[in-house]
């Protein structure tokens, strides 16, 4: 079982340091990068599936700045086998469409049975790249997975896709691309042994030239979308703190709701 | 701008989602004001009521034409519902309700003659469709719009990023684009007279990788969806267990809302993941967010801080929510919750 994990270093959402540069790109220097939260859930699932299969590897694929190996090491310490870093200064400022094309091309250089991606990322949050890669590469796309059950002998995979009233059971042939959620289960912490082992694990680098992609078709200049302005959100009204008995406090809430025409 | 195309979507029970009607209303406002000078914002963080303005001017000769497509064979009732909000709707019978995103995107891609922008719900299905459609067309995507307004450069799309810390405005570089729209961005307003529904059958694209739907499972005691709920009653660790959520359920029922939760409550198994709000759950924007026993840590805050009104009940006077709620009651969530329930029930008689 060979599983590729599409993973992205994101600014730590808990750092409070997420901000944009004047040109609209992410200011990566202002907050520490971490592995995107949803990517850790699919990585955990992939590690369990490969362990259960008794053979195979978990390969990280990331399109990121050249310093991304620092973040990738944590995922390697959790147990991923090796990493592939797609990096090129021409990629700076790429839109989701360019990201989709470049990752789709990189994926074609790797042999795999399954590709997993987090359902979205905490920085952009668009969640549209995995579906696009699947469409470009002709892979079945199974999204919002709460459970992933491959059948290696039948070369099929079943996914429980979360719906608004429960879930749908989907099935497709392998290879397939699956986006997963937190419902897949809690990711493990890297062990000391894992951290030591990660230092020796291989991270190979791919450039646009390696993929035969013209640099002028990606990056800021070729982006399909453009930031024209940004503002902080309007300040919320000051908080009214109520320290009264339950009945009085409830009465205050009811009055507030009535005033806002919510009841 | 050329014409705008709204993609409708179905709920699991086969009805049209409320969010589809909101996207239609927003598209009408965008199309109607496209010919005029820019200025009227269709939905915004400030909570405009652009919906009614759109209703009055939809179909005006000055703006862009707006139509809808519902890629779901046999969904006649849902198509008629979408046509209450759009002057014309195509029911695309070439896509079965169980078709996957790539298959439905191919059917939509075949319907883009004269269309400059496609608007979809920012739902799981809408995101899947937007990604696949972008790959098939090469058009850019601006996701999770919280408002749109016309400009000389086409639609300006407002987005809330970094968990609500920043509001950005972006445009498409070319003449085309795909926009997904968040729930509760506008209030859905039907047209004075419903539009026309036509049925079309685009041949399915057989080369696209197939995904079979093997089963639909209804969750035991399925909760009301929080996706587009007007009111959400949410609980955290302080609720203490699944029994505690019973009180929240009663409050949600009395208020006509849905029950949400923090990750801590979901991880404890008290409530399903589908109800989780926050960084790795859903981002919601209800008119009222009633937070019971929730501290409001950053991971949860990013999912709910754009709610129009926030009322919190918590024992801890120094929890983060005390800094951004409208009303913060320092007290026991069960005592205050039961008193509130009683007063709501008395009120409604």
């Amino acid at each position: 079982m060979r599983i590729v994990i599409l993973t992205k270093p994101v600014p730590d959402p808990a750092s409070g340091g997420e901000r944009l540069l004047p040109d609209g790109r992410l200011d990566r220097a202002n907050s520490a990068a971490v592995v995107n939260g949803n990517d850790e859930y699919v990585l955990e699932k992939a590690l369990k599936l490969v362990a259960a299969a008794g053979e195979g590897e978990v390969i990280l694929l990331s399109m990121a700045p050249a310093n991304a190996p620092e973040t990738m090491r944590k995922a390697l310490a959790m147990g991923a086998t090796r990493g592939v870093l797609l990096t090129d200064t021409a990629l700076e400022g790429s839109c989701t469409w360019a990201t989709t094309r470049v990752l789709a091309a990189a994926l074609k250089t790797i042999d795999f049975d399954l590709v997993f991606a987090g359902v979205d990322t905490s920085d952009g949050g668009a969640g549209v790249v995995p579906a696009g890669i699947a469409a470009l590469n002709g892979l079945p796309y199974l999204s919002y997975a709460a459970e992933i059950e491959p059948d290696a002998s039948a070369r099929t995979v079943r996914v429980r896709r979360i719906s608004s009233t429960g879930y749908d059971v989907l099935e497709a042939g392998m290879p397939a691309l699956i986006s997963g959620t937190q419902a897949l289960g809690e990711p493990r912490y890297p062990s000391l042994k894992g951290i030591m082992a990660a230092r020796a694990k291989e991270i190979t680098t791919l450039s646009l030239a390696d993929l035969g992609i013209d640099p002028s078709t990606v990056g800021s200049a070729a982006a399909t979308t453009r930031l024209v302005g940004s503002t902080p959100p309007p300040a919320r009204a000051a908080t009214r703190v109520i320290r009264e008995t339950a009945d009085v406090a409830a009465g205050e809430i009811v009055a507030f709701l009535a005033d806002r025409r919510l009841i | 701008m050329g014409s705008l195309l709204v993609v409708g979507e179905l709920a699991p029970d086969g009805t049209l989602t409320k969010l589809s009607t909101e996207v239609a209303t927003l598209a009408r406002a965008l199309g109607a004001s496209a010919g005029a000078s820019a200025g009227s914002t269709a939905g915004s963080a400030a909570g405009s009521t652009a919906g009614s303005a759109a209703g009055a001017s939809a179909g005006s000769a000055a703006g862009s034409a707006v139509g809808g497509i519902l890629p779901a064979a046999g969904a006649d009732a849902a198509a008629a519902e979408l046509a209450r909000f759009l002057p014309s709707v195509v029911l695309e019978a070439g896509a079965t309700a169980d078709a996957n995103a790539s298959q439905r995107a191919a059917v939509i891609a075949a319907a883009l003659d004269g269309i400059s922008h496609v608007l979809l719900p920012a739902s799981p299905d809408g995101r899947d469709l937007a990604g696949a459609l972008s790959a098939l067309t090469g058009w850019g995507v601006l996701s999770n719009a919280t408002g749109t307004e016309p400009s000389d450069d086409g639609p300006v799309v407002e987005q809330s990023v970094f968990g609500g810390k920043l509001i950005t405005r972006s445009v498409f570089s070319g003449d085309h684009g795909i926009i997904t729209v968040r729930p509760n961005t506008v209030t859905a307003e039907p047209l004075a007279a419903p539009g026309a529904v036509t049925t079309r059958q685009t041949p399915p694209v057989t080369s696209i990788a197939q995904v079979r739907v093997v089963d639909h499972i209804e969750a035991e005691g399925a909760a009301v969806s929080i996706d587009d709920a007007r009111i959400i009653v949410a609980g955290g660790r302080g609720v203490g267990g699944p029994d505690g959520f019973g009180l929240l359920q009663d409050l949600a029922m009395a208020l006509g809302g849905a029950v949400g939760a923090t990750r801590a409550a979901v991880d404890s198994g008290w409530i399903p993941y589908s109800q989780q709000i926050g960084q790795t759950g859903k981002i919601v924007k209800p008119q009222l967010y009633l937070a019971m026993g929730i501290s409001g840590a950053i991971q949860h805050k990013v999912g709910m801080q754009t709610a129009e009104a926030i009322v919190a009940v918590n024992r801890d006077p120094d929890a983060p929510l005390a800094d951004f709620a409208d009303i913060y009651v320092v007290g026991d969530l069960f005592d205050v919750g039961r008193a509130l329930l009683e007063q709501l029930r008395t009120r409604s008689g």
Side-chain angles (χ1 to χ4, degrees):
Chain A
M1 182 76 53
R2 301 180 102 185
I3 303 176
V4 175
I5 309 290
L6 301 177
T7 177
K8 182 180 185 185
V10 294
D12 186 350
S15 73
E18 298 158 301
R19 69 176 187 196
L20 297 178
L21 294 165
D23 66 359
R25 285 181 300 125
L26 185 64
D27 184 355
R28 293 180 196 270
N30 199 48
S31 53
V34 295
V35 179
N36 177 49
N38 278 323
D39 300 352
E40 291 194 350
Y41 303 117
V42 288
L43 171 57
E44 175 64 35
K45 187 69 201 177
L47 293 172
K48 286 203 177 90
L49 289 174
V50 168
E55 54 78 35
E57 52 178 354
V58 176
I59 305 152
L60 308 171
L61 173 59
S62 196
M63 174 182 132
N67 62 1
E70 294 165 32
T71 318
M72 213 179 241
R73 291 282 170 209
K74 191 205 164 188
L76 290 170
M78 284 171 66
T81 318
R82 62 189 174 94
V84 178
L85 174 64
L86 177 58
T87 189
D88 200 308
T89 50
L91 286 168
E92 284 177 23
S94 287
C95 64
T96 57
W97 162 230
T99 305
T100 302
R101 272 167 28 233
V102 170
L103 283 171
L107 207 47
K108 287 183 176 165
T109 69
I110 304 172
D111 284 328
F112 60 83
D113 300 297
L114 293 168
V115 185
F116 292 176
V119 78
D120 59 17
T121 56
S122 60
D123 56 349
V128 296
V129 169
I133 294 172
L136 284 183
N137 285 11
L139 296 168
Y141 181 54
L142 304 91
S143 62
Y144 290 83
E147 185 52 271
I148 302 171
E149 296 168 327
D151 182 338
S153 56
R155 296 288 295 160
T156 58
V157 60
R158 278 196 177 201
V159 158
R160 285 186 174 196
R161 180 185 198 254
I162 295 169
S163 75
S164 51
T165 54
Y167 54 87
D168 298 334
V169 182
L170 309 180
E171 188 181 87
M174 291 203 272
L177 196 160
I178 297 164
S179 76
T181 66
Q182 177 196 315
L184 287 167
E186 193 65 18
R188 69 193 67 185
Y189 284 100
S191 65
L192 190 58
K193 196 176 149 208
I195 293 166
M196 300 297 282
R199 292 183 190 164
K201 286 180 178 172
E202 176 193 41
I203 298 178
T204 49
T205 302
L206 288 176
S207 68
L208 287 172
D210 294 329
L211 299 175
I213 292 174
D214 178 353
S216 73
T217 63
V218 299
S220 304
T224 53
T225 59
R226 179 164 50 89
L227 186 83
V228 292
S230 65
T231 45
R236 296 197 71 95
T239 303
R240 187 150 64 89
V241 178
I242 297 173
R243 297 167 187 265
E244 301 285 353
T245 64
D247 281 335
V248 174
E252 295 266 352
I253 295 173
V254 167
F256 174 82
L257 299 183
D259 184 52
R260 295 283 187 109
R261 297 177 182 279
L262 289 164
I263 51 174
Chain B
M1 278 191 320
S3 298
L4 307 178
L5 181 67
V6 174
V7 181
E9 71 176 4
L10 302 182
D13 66 2
T15 58
L16 188 75
T17 62
K18 173 173 158 253
L19 179 53
S20 301
T21 65
E22 293 173 4
V23 178
T25 302
L26 178 127
R28 266 162 42 209
L30 180 64
S33 50
S37 59
S40 81
T41 304
S44 73
S48 88
T49 51
S52 48
S57 53
S60 113
S64 295
V66 182
I69 185 168
L70 190 64
D76 299 79
E81 174 65 8
L82 187 57
R84 288 180 57 226
F85 297 85
L86 290 169
S88 69
V89 170
V90 172
L91 177 60
E92 179 49 78
T96 64
D98 275 351
N100 68 357
S102 307
Q103 293 165 314
R104 278 180 290 138
V107 163
I108 297 165
L112 296 180
D113 244 2
I115 303 293
S116 65
H117 297 86
V118 179
L119 293 95
L120 306 104
S123 60
D125 282 351
R127 278 176 205 143
D128 287 358
L129 267 182
L133 196 56
S134 171
L136 296 177
T137 58
W139 296 5
V141 185
L142 289 169
S143 300
N144 304 327
T146 53
T148 57
E149 59 182 284
S151 78
D152 292 342
D153 292 330
V156 178
V157 175
E158 181 188 285
Q159 295 161 293
S160 166
V161 300
F162 301 144
K165 281 208 290 270
L166 192 68
I167 293 169
T168 60
R169 291 182 308 283
S170 300
V171 295
F172 296 101
S173 306
D175 299 329
H176 297 97
I178 299 163
I179 302 168
T180 67
V181 181
R182 279 231 175 115
N184 293 326
T185 294
V186 295
T187 304
E189 293 273 350
L191 293 163
V197 177
T198 51
T199 302
R200 186 173 55 201
Q201 179 122 27
T202 301
V205 185
T206 51
S207 60
I208 287 173
Q210 301 292 308
V211 175
R212 292 174 295 283
V213 180
V214 181
D215 208 353
H216 296 284
I217 311 280
E218 296 278 314
E220 192 77 19
V224 177
S225 168
I226 56 171
D227 294 342
D228 51 10
R230 198 175 70 96
I231 291 176
I232 293 174
V233 181
R237 207 188 296 274
V239 175
D243 295 346
F245 270 93
L247 173 63
L248 273 59
Q249 188 66 58
D250 290 345
L251 280 167
M253 203 98 90
L255 288 162
V259 177
T262 65
R263 179 171 168 186
V266 172
D267 279 351
S268 303
W270 303 341
I271 183 165
Y273 171 70
S274 59
Q275 309 308 109
Q276 183 177 319
I277 293 159
Q279 194 182 311
T280 52
K282 287 172 178 166
I283 294 171
V284 295
K285 192 192 168 197
Q287 289 175 23
L288 170 66
Y289 196 86
L290 180 55
M292 307 293 280
I294 292 177
S295 69
I298 182 73
Q299 291 83 355
H300 185 70
K301 185 182 177 186
V302 300
M304 46 68 75
Q305 67 182 337
T306 58
E308 290 188 17
I310 300 172
V311 174
V313 181
N314 200 336
R315 276 179 180 284
D316 178 2
D318 301 317
L321 251 172
D323 292 330
F324 65 96
D326 294 285
I327 291 189
Y328 191 87
V329 176
V330 182
D332 179 79
L333 75 93
F334 294 103
D335 291 346
V336 177
R338 276 190 284 264
L340 179 58
L341 183 62
E342 193 182 309
Q343 292 188 27
L344 288 170
R345 283 178 173 164
T346 307
R347 212 184 133 83
S348 63

